[in-house]
Amino acid sequence: MSGSIGPLLAADEQFNHKIVETINQGEIHIIEPELKDFVADTVKKGFLKAYKTVQPADVYLVVVPTPFKEKNEPDISFVQAATKAILPLLKVGDTYIIESTSPVGTTEKMRDLIFQERPELKGQLYIAYCPERVLPGNVMYELVHNDRVIGGIDEKSTDKAVAFYSKYVEGQLHKTNARTAEMCKLVENSSRDVQIAFANELSLICDKAGINVWELISLANKHPRVNILQPGCGVGGHCIAVDPYFIVSDYPMETKIIGTARNVNNYKSFWCAEKVQNEKLKFELERGRKPKIAIMGLAFKPNIDDLRESPAKYIAQRVLQNSNNEEYYIVEPNIKDHKVFKLTDYKFAYDNADIVVFLVAHNEFKELNPSNEKVILDFCGVSN
Ligand SMILES: NC(=O)c1ccc[n+]([C@@H]2O[C@H](COP(=O)([O-])OP(=O)(O)OC[C@H]3O[C@@H](n4cnc5c(N)ncnc54)[C@H](O)[C@@H]3O)[C@@H](O)[C@H]2O)c1
């Protein structure tokens, strides 16, 4: 394969103007280990240039957001918009690959859209789907070393896409068709969601049964064929909390377990917020004064600054909505400022609170000295 990869394309005008400028200066706009030096070097050598509009290329990668709409239906309008922007530039022999997490059938829909507008290219393009699999924070390693699942709309598209990825991927490249590759990504994240739901369900049962769920899981996992995950305050992020809905939305009758797992994980967040409310009222009744409450963590998982779909953020919002003149300390050590929450230093919050609610097991929280004088609500196993 010769020629260039599709240039970086950005949509949201103001924000992306800044991103495009940043990248073209050899800088990056996100926190990602090792990426900075790599981008600096690549830009310097003239191999990478960012644009605000699509530029002619031989290979086009569509890696745009695929959020969900109200009623948890997938929104592929960004994929459609990006495809429409690429359409006029397509020429015989080009490769078009979607990497965005997408509902089953999206690649075929985009194929139809392309050939409807450009019928002369029928059979002359390579169209495939290859889901993104990287873990933020480890992107530079995983982009190269992870296995990839690659599915074309026909065999020659699959082969062409495999040839493209083989240029930089050292993991194995597994060939399939587009629909299977799309479903594969959704199933990977649904599998995690279902397994976490099991752990979260156990945490609810154990709370009623007076059993320490962390000890229970650790003991059960001593069995050679049992591997239960850890419970938490819900499930967040833009993948695991979202992708199962892409299956549920298209296959509502068949997704009893996947749909229920989503509900269990959502319910866990609601339950945590209710627990805080109950503990607050109990404190007031017993001690005759309003408690000071520390909410520890807003991110969707430990040691990151990402709040997307975060159950901790949801719980903090819900607790604040139920507030009745109590004093609250909201803590997120990975973020300096937040436009909604007034953030407090984690040590100050912990030292001064009567009720401490651990929502995210950030490393900083693990170093705090245990206290018998405080009410500790540990929803993420930070003290276990
Ligand atoms: N980030 C991850 O770790 C990760 C991992 C696996 C899968 N994914 C999937 O990859 C996709 C992208 O995720 P992300 O985290 O990079 O999203 P993001 O929101 O951070 O970035 C998407 C980019 O797409 C641009 N964009 C939006 N509409 C566009 C259009 N019409 N034309 C051109 N560009 C457009 C945005 O401006 C933005 O720069 C999603 O489907 C996500 O589920 C992401």
Side-chain angles (χ1 to χ4, degrees):
M1 192 182 301
S2 64
S4 59
I5 302 171
L8 296 182
L9 163 71
D12 182 54
E13 262 313 303
Q14 264 193 345
F15 181 58
N16 287 321
H17 178 71
K18 233 176 132 187
I19 297 176
V20 166
E21 268 191 353
T22 307
I23 290 172
N24 287 336
Q25 284 161 6
E27 305 276 338
I28 57 172
H29 61 291
I30 54 168
I31 298 171
E32 182 59 46
E34 293 172 43
L35 183 64
K36 195 171 184 294
D37 291 344
F38 183 77
V39 168
D41 190 49
T42 315
V43 170
K44 200 169 149 200
K45 287 179 177 153
F47 291 142
L48 175 66
K49 190 161 171 20
Y51 296 85
K52 284 198 287 175
T53 53
V54 198
Q55 302 295 307
D58 302 314
V59 181
Y60 296 91
L61 297 181
V62 177
V63 200
V64 296
T66 38
F68 56 78
K69 299 183 273 200
E70 272 175 50
K71 297 195 186 152
N72 300 326
E73 286 165 14
D75 175 4
I76 61 163
S77 62
F78 293 88
V79 177
Q80 266 162 340
T83 305
K84 280 184 183 160
I86 293 167
L87 254 171
L89 298 174
L90 286 170
K91 61 184 184 306
V92 172
D94 280 354
T95 304
Y96 162 99
I97 302 169
I98 303 176
E99 286 202 1
S100 296
T101 304
S102 303
V104 174
T106 303
T107 311
E108 291 169 349
K109 270 190 193 151
M110 292 309 112
R111 171 201 61 194
D112 295 347
L113 175 71
I114 291 169
F115 293 143
Q116 201 180 340
E117 300 289 320
R118 303 285 310 274
E120 79 281 9
L121 290 175
K122 245 184 195 171
Q124 311 279 341
L125 296 176
Y126 304 99
I127 298 177
Y129 181 78
C130 175
E132 177 61 76
R133 271 182 163 171
V134 291
L135 179 74
N138 200 23
V139 165
M140 293 302 286
Y141 179 85
E142 296 204 356
L143 209 52
V144 175
H145 293 93
N146 283 358
D147 283 13
R148 300 295 290 260
V149 174
I150 301 170
I153 54 158
D154 48 32
E155 252 176 67
K156 63 182 175 49
S157 292
T158 308
D159 291 342
K160 189 79 169 177
V162 165
F164 167 71
Y165 284 102
S166 66
K167 289 184 179 301
Y168 70 91
V169 175
E170 289 174 23
Q172 283 188 42
L173 303 174
H174 304 276
K175 291 185 193 180
T176 182
N177 56 49
R179 294 176 74 83
T180 309
E182 288 162 344
M183 186 63 104
C184 190
K185 174 70 190 177
L186 302 180
V187 162
E188 286 160 21
N189 285 334
S190 301
S191 154
R192 297 278 295 165
D193 200 44
V194 168
Q195 290 177 60
I196 298 168
F198 182 71
N200 277 334
E201 187 161 295
L202 288 184
S203 72
L204 303 180
I205 297 166
C206 286
D207 185 72
K208 256 199 178 157
I211 291 170
N212 179 326
V213 68
W214 315 97
E215 186 195 357
L216 173 80
I217 291 174
S218 152
L219 292 173
N221 284 348
K222 303 281 183 229
H223 186 292
R225 285 171 297 282
V226 172
N227 185 14
I228 305 171
L229 300 184
Q230 302 298 303
C233 69
V235 170
H238 59 299
C239 287
I240 300 179
V242 175
D243 300 354
Y245 287 126
F246 288 21
I247 309 182
V248 174
S249 167
D250 284 343
Y251 307 94
M253 295 307 289
E254 293 78 12
T255 43
K256 300 283 183 291
I257 292 178
I258 298 173
T260 305
R262 275 285 67 238
N263 292 340
V264 169
N265 287 330
N266 286 339
Y267 175 69
K268 182 66 194 287
S269 310
F270 172 82
W271 182 88
C272 291
E274 290 299 296
K275 272 267 169 198
V276 177
Q277 179 72 0
N278 290 344
E279 214 53 57
K280 213 171 75 178
L281 297 174
K282 204 168 127 199
F283 183 98
E284 216 176 321
L285 270 177
E286 284 173 3
R287 314 234 187 145
R289 67 173 173 89
K290 293 209 179 276
K292 295 177 186 167
I293 301 165
I295 305 284
M296 307 292 276
L298 291 176
F300 82 80
K301 64 176 183 178
N303 309 318
I304 59 164
D305 60 356
D306 195 338
L307 307 191
R308 284 182 288 181
E309 309 297 329
S310 170
K313 191 176 82 175
Y314 161 83
I315 294 165
Q317 275 163 342
R318 219 181 144 80
V319 168
L320 289 182
Q321 274 162 10
N322 290 333
S323 70
N324 185 16
N325 294 323
E326 301 87 10
E327 196 169 334
Y328 288 91
Y329 308 123
I330 309 289
V331 173
E332 179 41 72
N334 298 295
I335 294 180
K336 268 196 180 147
D337 292 307
H338 189 270
K339 52 182 190 276
V340 176
F341 299 108
K342 181 175 170 285
L343 299 177
T344 303
D345 172 69
Y346 73 99
K347 280 190 186 140
F348 178 89
Y350 184 74
D351 289 344
N352 288 282
D354 302 303
I355 300 176
V356 180
V357 185
F358 285 112
L359 295 177
V360 191
H362 289 314
N363 285 342
E364 290 87 343
F365 302 164
K366 294 182 181 162
E367 291 157 14
L368 295 165
N369 292 327
S371 160
N372 291 329
E373 283 154 31
K374 298 174 190 299
V375 178
I376 305 283
L377 294 175
D378 182 2
F379 295 127
C380 56
V382 79
S383 44
N384 282 274

